[in-house]
Amino acid sequence: LFENLSADVVITKWEQDYSGGNWSDQVKVYYTITNTGNVDIGYYNIWLAAYCEYEGIYEDGGIYEDWNTIGTFVGIGNSKDRTCWITVGENKKVISINVTNLILEPFTNPLQ
């Protein structure tokens, strides 16, 4: 039997404030990570990219990438709901968010 260390990450939603005719330079991202492998996950790194529009120009506002590290345990078949913040440019409306990279490390029991 081989070890399969894998996970799915799904962006469930994001929130960006709009007030006074301007978009906030921060977007709060909600996501779920699910362990789809047969090995417990002890650590993971997720990179997220926010794609923006600027003054109504679709996807011409730049791409802003950030990473979110959660050092918590995700057991086989289990999911964790998490949030993180991405800083984007001034008055840039986020139009989509994607996962651009994922690094997984297996759980190692220090007592063994």
Side-chain angles (χ1 to χ4, degrees), residues 42-44 69-73:
Y43 170 87
Y44 59 90
T69 304
I70 305 294
T72 59
F73 178 87

Side-chain angles (χ1 to χ4, degrees), residues 14 16 18 21-25 50-64 88-97:
W14 69 87
Q16 184 181 21
Y18 183 77
N22 292 309
W23 289 99
S24 169
D25 67 347
Y51 299 86
C52 300
E53 72 177 25
Y54 182 69
E55 296 180 352
I57 302 170
Y58 187 76
E59 281 197 24
D60 195 30
I63 300 169
Y64 298 86
V88 296
E90 185 177 321
N91 200 28
K92 300 207 177 186
K93 179 184 178 185
V94 175
I95 55 175
S96 67
I97 297 185

Side-chain angles (χ1 to χ4, degrees), residues 32-61:
T32 301
I33 181 169
T34 302
N35 184 339
T36 58
N38 63 6
V39 178
D40 293 328
I41 298 169
Y43 170 87
Y44 59 90
N45 244 359
I46 299 173
W47 279 260
L48 302 169
Y51 299 86
C52 300
E53 72 177 25
Y54 182 69
E55 296 180 352
I57 302 170
Y58 187 76
E59 281 197 24
D60 195 30

Side-chain angles (χ1 to χ4, degrees), residues 7-15 27-35 41 43-50 66-74 78-86 97-104:
D8 285 337
V9 178
V10 175
I11 306 298
T12 55
K13 72 176 183 173
W14 69 87
E15 297 173 349
V27 61
K28 186 175 186 180
V29 181
Y30 299 80
Y31 66 89
T32 301
I33 181 169
T34 302
N35 184 339
I41 298 169
Y43 170 87
Y44 59 90
N45 244 359
I46 299 173
W47 279 260
L48 302 169
D66 206 346
W67 59 273
N68 187 30
T69 304
I70 305 294
T72 59
F73 178 87
V74 183
N78 292 324
S79 297
K80 300 267 181 155
D81 294 322
R82 297 288 185 220
T83 60
C84 71
W85 291 90
I86 299 175
I97 297 185
N98 291 320
V99 176
T100 57
N101 196 10
L102 174 64
I103 296 176
L104 304 172

